[in-house]
Amino acid sequence: MIDELRISDLGVIADTTLPLGPGFTAITGETGAGKTMVVTALGLLMGERSDASGVRIGANQARVSGIIRTDDPEVRDLVEELGGDVEEGELVMSRTVNAEGRSRAVVGGAGTPVGALGRISSLLFAVHGQSDQLRLRSGAEQRDTLDRFGGETLADALAAYRSTHTERKEAESQLARLTESRESRAAEVVKLRSELEEIAAVDPQPREEEELSRRVEVLANVEALRAAAMNASEALASESDDPMQRDASGLVNEAAHEVERVATLDSRLGESLESLRSISFQLADVAKDLAAYASDLDEEGPGELERANERLASLNTLFRHYGTSSEEVLAHGERASNRLIELDSEEDVLGGLDERVLELRERESQLATQLSELRKEAAEALGTAVTRELRELALPDARFVASVNALETLGGHGGDEVQFLLAPHPGSEPRPIAKSASGGELSRVMLALEVVLAGADPVPTFVFDEVDSGVGGAAAIEIGRRLAQLAKTSQVIVVTHLAQVAAFATNHLRVVKDSSGGFTESSCQRLEGDARLAEMARLLSGLDTSESALDHAAELLQLRV
């Protein structure tokens, strides 16, 4: 519950503290005094959108802080997750909004994203205003209210249905995508297989084109290469019988013979002699190699050149389509092969998806039927309970009906249309509350629903902003009684203009307007004794000194006893 609420520079409120505490708190005050600022302040603590226009004129920022008592472990865990603390069951929350519209939140002593306030406050508060009465007219709100009343069993069934519904939609979407692309996938398969066959027929090897280019160069110049090799071999070691033929080997041997002849005369010539002999052997080896090279060239004819050129042409054809080198062609082939595997797996998935979608549709239908049955059971119980509450709210002949009808198609919330109907008089047919309920009746329906829901899904604190709108007399007295009944299990804070409602409060606060300084400034006072009696009289007649109004006020206050 909210133990204390402090408001600074919000709207017309300069600085005031509202002592709230347990039970039923009524907040009253003159029109324009700033009663609704209390609801606005709570909205800020709940993470609602801030507005710079709410900052009091002349102030730098508006600030709202609340001291909340809670022993809810879920609240404690959430606060600790945000870096704050709940100390001895006390949680401090605050929100500031500066004149430029920037907002800051603190929870349990730790700075917190404003969006996190909503997660915490949903466990602590339920705020209802006239806008909630309008929202109650919507089918979605009525369905959510019925589901809330249905409790954990219905919530589990709804969660199971939503999970299957989402899975079914995703499976259908994937199936549609794969089905629509089947023709393009088939064409892609044909293309990829053709490419792989073309590459496999050539069977390129890494860097093969470089070796082939060198080979073609050799084969195209084989005569010149052979002649050069033979001439070089003859120059090194001639096999001619011509005594005038002088080759390099003969000249070196002659030089060695001359050095050998005198080497014994000077030991320094020994090294030169060894070098000449080594050169002679090397010349002989080179001459032999050149002769063998020329001989090999004789065996490589025009046919070899033709085959090399054909092979190079085949590779160049691949290079035009799949890359500029054999490595790139091979990489393309690998990608094509992997893509074929992927396309084949998509076909396998497509076959399994048909069955999966059918299974999910059947399961979704079964869960939707189960959900509908639970809603119908909850609807009957809700109708009985709300009708009973309406009798206590000065609608003795009214009958509330929660209708659950099947929709043609299944949606995210099931296959049901939920409508709240009201038959205000005996013999009248129940009609949608959006069409049949007056403002006062709608206020009482909403209150009756909250009283009933409090038993099924309790909330620590209820805040009602003029829930008694459009109501007066005996109906207002019964609203006060039911609010007091609700306050036995939850904290109830009510902004009201009716003495009949305020009379049942255990804590009466008045928002006081002061315009003596040339501008309006409001604060809050706790009323007791004569002060409360005077405020009740003012609510009844507009005069806080009228004897008849004071007597009537005193009579009303006796109703609570």
Side-chain angles (χ1 to χ4, degrees), residues 317-546:
T317 299
L318 294 182
F319 296 162
R320 284 195 296 272
H321 296 145
Y322 310 122
T324 59
S325 67
S326 54
E327 284 87 349
E328 291 185 11
V329 172
L330 291 169
H332 178 84
E334 185 177 359
R335 289 193 298 272
S337 179
N338 291 337
R339 178 58 179 158
L340 269 178
I341 294 172
E342 183 180 336
L343 291 170
D344 288 340
S345 68
E346 286 186 358
E347 283 299 315
D348 293 340
V349 169
L350 184 60
L353 268 177
D354 281 319
E355 296 180 6
R356 180 62 177 156
V357 167
L358 290 174
E359 291 174 0
L360 287 170
R361 284 175 180 169
E362 183 177 355
R363 185 181 172 200
E364 181 186 27
S365 178
Q366 292 172 348
L367 290 171
T369 300
Q370 178 186 354
L371 183 59
S372 294
E373 291 172 354
L374 290 171
R375 278 179 172 153
K376 288 174 182 176
E377 292 176 9
E380 185 175 351
L382 181 64
T384 300
V386 173
T387 297
R388 185 166 54 245
E389 286 297 323
L390 290 175
R391 288 172 186 161
E392 300 296 331
L393 290 170
L395 286 173
D397 299 320
R399 182 163 60 94
F400 177 85
V401 176
S403 170
V404 179
N405 298 307
L407 294 169
E408 292 184 0
T409 58
L410 298 178
H413 299 276
D416 303 315
E417 177 189 36
V418 176
Q419 270 195 322
F420 288 170
L421 313 174
L422 184 68
H425 310 294
S428 61
E429 285 296 319
R431 297 179 59 210
I433 59 173
K435 298 178 180 178
S436 63
S438 65
E441 289 170 340
L442 197 58
S443 296
R444 282 176 277 182
V445 169
M446 190 182 76
L447 178 56
L449 280 168
E450 284 301 342
V451 172
V452 170
L453 290 172
D457 183 20
V459 176
T461 298
F462 287 97
V463 181
F464 294 98
D465 184 14
E466 298 193 4
V467 68
D468 47 23
S469 176
V471 178
I477 290 174
E478 295 309 323
I479 285 179
R481 279 203 176 99
R482 299 320 288 168
L483 288 170
Q485 182 69 24
L486 184 60
K488 291 180 179 179
T489 56
S490 301
Q491 181 186 37
V492 175
I493 302 169
V494 179
V495 176
T496 182
H497 62 279
L498 294 180
Q500 293 93 329
V501 173
F504 290 90
T506 54
N507 182 33
H508 191 158
L509 305 179
R510 180 188 180 193
V511 179
V512 181
K513 179 171 63 175
D514 182 5
S515 303
S516 60
F519 55 88
T520 301
E521 185 175 292
S522 296
S523 60
C524 185
Q525 300 174 347
R526 171 176 270 168
L527 302 179
E528 295 178 336
D530 292 341
R532 184 180 186 190
L533 193 65
E535 173 64 4
M536 294 281 291
R538 186 194 66 77
L539 291 171
L540 287 167
S541 66
L543 300 173
D544 56 9
T545 58
S546 166

